[in-house]
Amino acid sequence: MNNNRFSVPSAELEKQTEYKEKVKTVLSSRFSLSFPKAFVHTYGCQGNVADSERIKGLLTEMGYEMTENLDEADLILYNTCAIREHAQDRVFGNVGALKKIKKDKPGLIIALCGCMMQQRYVADKIKESYRFVDLVFGTHVLYKLPEFIYRCLCTGERVFDITNSDGNIVEGLPVKRDGSFKAWVPIMYGCNNFCSYCIVPYVRGRERSRGFSVIVDEVKELVKKGYKEITLLGQNVNSYNKDLANEYRFPALLRAIDNIEGDFIIRFMTSHPRDCTKELLDTMADCKKVAKHLHLPVQSGNDRVLFEMNRHYDRKKYLSLIDYAYSLMPNLSITSDIIVGFPGETYEEFADTLSLVEYVNYTSLFTFIFSSRPGTKAAEMDDFVSREEKGKWFSELTGLQEKIAAKRTASMKGKTYRVLVEGKGRYDGYLSGRTEGNIIIEFPGAEDLIGSFCNVRVTEPKTWILIGEKAD
Ligand code: 5AD
Ligand code: SF4
């Protein structure tokens, strides 16, 4: 249970606390009439969202007030994503647009962090070609933000720190959560899987798990504060504490959290089929508070492609997990990630993905066309199929999933679901919530229901969302 080998030395953390105070002093002398404002924007996955909540926590303790308005910001920070080329292009475009804002406001600090910055070629490009960017830091040094800001404020130098490490765990950072009833709780960081297409293991370091009791205590605290949905996060939650005794692994963690008193729902993502066990599915079925929703990315339905992807499971193993899961939880909602057009994939192999999708009867899919990431193994593989052809395959897959989803939602008509109300719906007077299976449902209701559970009867199923009415 000891994660000390990943801990940052306490002297280093104390140093950062001192920097926090120094920044506060500098800012209060420069901003005597108003608070300095920080604009933080997050790209990519929930892991990044959770990191940004820590960044916002640190900035708040340094004296910044958060703003949604780019023009009034004294500090602009983008937490970036590297998962696909398109995600990176968007960031480059949006950073480019900051040049003018900086010209009009020379004291503005522009900062970039996250997975994209952890790649040396990106940091170098920012250094050379985006000279108005003041601060770039990678995923392993987030806790040094006070020191970085202090250097930007007091020396005027550009700060770059993309120190590479196997990764660390820093507990005790302040967290400024985006929501008041839904919370993200990271349980582990990094990834050891090295799927051949994926950049994550290179930019997030090796797998490391947070302490069991640290997580349970954090959830207890959140529930006490009134949080209604807790999502446990990790690239591969099934390998949480993989090297420790059974009593500290993921199923045990789920049971411990399920035992916390209070009315709340537990979600988790992402499960890797390689490490998904019957024990985990038994645990899901047993635990009352665990949502009956499983996000189990398959990526492809063809064994040769799965092998080339380095996924360490085959179609048969994946489908046996699905069969077992449905046998325990007939109404389970299953979602997945799929990559179309992996290098060397033929149409016949892609057709295996189509048949798998049909068999599994997914609720919804996150579908992606393969994007070559520099430094990964797949980036070196020959890729003969044109983008246009891949686009056709992609449409065939999304068209199939649309039919499956429509059938699934149609079967929900007239049934009543317990829903966590998340906010206003898209029509006037409507609210929006999510079923346990993670399907959006909209229904007429008063805004004071936001943040609470409500029973809603489905009146009109659409393909991807449901329309309903309050049932009690
Ligand atoms: N190209 C396309 N999709 C990718 N993903 C990860 N890397 C790539 C890539 N290089 C997808 C996978 C993963 C999801 C988070 O992003 O499907 O599960
Ligand atoms: Fe990437 Fe595979 Fe790790 Fe997921 S499990 S982050 S797809 S390497």
Side-chain angles (χ1 to χ4, degrees):
M1 274 213 70
N2 190 342
N3 297 305
N4 278 348
R5 69 196 163 105
F6 294 114
S7 296
V8 173
S10 57
E12 176 60 38
L13 296 178
E14 278 157 26
K15 197 170 105 189
Q16 295 306 322
T17 307
E18 284 165 25
Y19 275 116
K20 227 187 295 177
E21 288 310 311
K22 286 189 196 170
V23 170
K24 212 171 173 176
T25 311
V26 175
L27 288 176
S28 61
S29 70
R30 289 194 195 169
F31 294 83
S32 47
L33 296 175
S34 62
F35 287 105
K37 299 206 167 38
F39 174 96
V40 176
H41 184 72
T42 310
Y43 297 83
C45 68
Q46 305 314 330
N48 259 14
V49 171
D51 279 352
S52 288
E53 290 185 336
R54 278 149 189 85
I55 288 171
K56 289 180 203 169
L58 284 167
L59 290 172
T60 305
E61 289 198 345
M62 284 184 259
Y64 284 97
E65 219 172 48
M66 297 304 125
T67 176
E68 303 284 312
N69 182 353
L70 203 62
D71 293 322
E72 67 169 18
D74 301 292
L75 174 115
I76 296 174
L77 186 145
Y78 288 167
N79 189 4
T80 63
C81 169
I83 198 91
R84 282 170 292 275
E85 195 177 1
H86 177 69
Q88 288 203 171
D89 289 346
R90 251 179 54 215
V91 172
F92 277 125
N94 292 350
V95 173
L98 297 178
K99 187 173 181 179
K100 187 175 175 304
I101 304 184
K102 174 85 177 189
K103 204 166 153 220
D104 297 342
K105 196 176 190 179
L108 170 69
I109 295 176
I110 297 180
L112 307 175
C113 67
C115 294
M116 184 174 159
M117 297 304 134
Q118 192 61 47
Q119 303 167 100
R120 176 148 308 274
Y121 80 95
V122 173
D124 287 347
K125 181 168 169 180
I126 299 285
K127 206 179 230 169
E128 291 305 313
S129 313
Y130 295 73
R131 303 198 67 83
F132 53 92
V133 172
D134 304 284
L135 166 60
V136 168
F137 60 98
T139 55
H140 303 300
V141 290
L142 185 157
Y143 68 94
K144 285 190 181 171
L145 187 60
E147 178 180 345
F148 298 150
I149 300 284
Y150 181 78
R151 283 165 60 192
C152 287
L153 282 171
C154 294
T155 68
E157 69 188 38
R158 299 176 77 203
V159 179
F160 284 76
D161 188 341
I162 58 160
T163 306
N164 206 351
S165 74
D166 276 352
N168 49 42
I169 291 185
V170 183
E171 293 296 353
L173 291 179
V175 185
K176 189 169 166 35
R177 295 190 190 271
D178 292 340
S180 56
F181 53 88
K182 284 172 66 155
W184 311 108
V185 177
I187 63 164
M188 59 184 305
Y189 304 99
C191 182
N192 286 354
N193 285 313
F194 288 95
C195 299
S196 60
Y197 50 81
C198 187
I199 195 68
V200 169
Y202 300 91
V203 294
R204 285 274 172 188
R206 297 291 62 76
E207 272 178 13
R208 53 219 185 263
S209 300
R210 292 180 71 199
F212 194 97
S213 51
V214 177
I215 298 169
V216 174
D217 287 349
E218 182 172 333
V219 176
K220 272 187 193 155
E221 202 51 41
L222 287 165
V223 172
K224 218 189 279 170
K225 284 185 182 151
Y227 281 84
K228 295 281 182 272
E229 181 181 288
I230 306 292
T231 304
L232 307 175
L233 295 178
Q235 297 298 342
N236 183 8
V237 289
N238 303 131
S239 66
Y240 173 75
N241 275 346
K242 199 177 180 178
D243 43 353
L244 297 188
N246 231 354
E247 61 188 293
Y248 298 120
R249 292 198 203 141
F250 189 57
L253 182 68
L254 274 184
R255 285 187 197 275
I257 295 176
D258 191 61
N259 280 334
I260 296 174
E261 230 168 89
D263 187 13
F264 66 101
I265 183 167
I266 306 163
R267 297 185 185 276
F268 59 88
M269 58 185 198
T270 294
S271 282
H272 192 304
R274 170 194 190 169
D275 301 304
C276 180
T277 55
K278 285 191 169 177
E279 189 196 353
L280 172 75
L281 300 170
D282 291 338
T283 308
M284 267 185 94
D286 281 355
C287 290
K288 295 254 171 329
K289 290 172 188 148
V290 175
K292 301 301 174 268
H293 168 219
L294 179 65
H295 184 60
L296 195 65
V298 68
Q299 312 297 357
S300 164
N302 176 269
D303 285 346
R304 191 197 67 81
V305 176
L306 286 171
F307 179 80
E308 290 297 319
M309 286 177 164
N310 197 30
R311 292 289 289 178
H312 293 275
Y313 57 84
D314 58 14
R315 179 185 174 103
K316 194 162 159 232
K317 149 128 191 195
Y318 185 87
L319 292 181
S320 74
L321 285 170
I322 298 291
D323 288 344
Y324 186 69
Y326 277 139
S327 76
L328 294 176
M329 299 166 277
N331 293 321
L332 181 66
S333 165
I334 306 178
T335 55
S336 197
D337 296 347
I338 288 181
I339 296 178
V340 173
F342 185 77
E345 185 177 35
T346 64
Y347 182 78
E348 287 66 36
E349 289 169 336
F350 167 70
D352 286 342
T353 300
L354 294 175
S355 67
L356 181 136
V357 165
E358 202 145 21
Y359 181 89
V360 177
N361 195 23
Y362 290 111
T363 298
S364 61
L365 290 177
F366 298 90
T367 43
F368 313 100
I369 290 183
F370 170 76
S371 167
S372 177
R373 309 312 300 128
T376 61
K377 216 170 149 210
E380 308 299 317
M381 296 178 184
D382 291 329
D383 193 358
F384 300 110
V385 178
S386 68
R387 182 85 192 180
E388 196 195 354
E389 186 64 16
K390 289 184 186 182
K392 284 189 201 150
W393 299 2
F394 185 86
S395 303
E396 195 175 348
L397 176 60
T398 50
L400 170 64
Q401 182 54 38
E402 199 171 317
K403 280 195 204 121
I404 296 170
K407 233 190 204 165
R408 281 190 72 104
T409 47
S411 73
M412 298 170 88
K413 188 168 178 174
K415 293 189 182 142
T416 299
Y417 295 88
R418 189 156 189 260
V419 163
L420 176 59
V421 187
E422 296 185 338
K424 288 201 237 175
R426 63 193 78 176
Y427 305 113
D428 249 8
Y430 273 67
L431 299 172
S432 176
R434 250 167 228 273
T435 65
E436 190 181 340
N438 216 24
I439 302 178
I440 293 174
I441 182 159
E442 301 206 342
F443 61 100
E447 278 178 37
D448 59 1
L449 289 173
I450 294 173
S452 61
F453 289 106
C454 210
N455 287 330
V456 184
R457 189 179 315 109
V458 178
T459 52
E460 194 191 339
K462 309 255 186 198
T463 304
W464 302 113
I465 74 161
L466 305 162
I467 305 293
E469 61 191 12
K470 226 168 143 281
D472 50 320

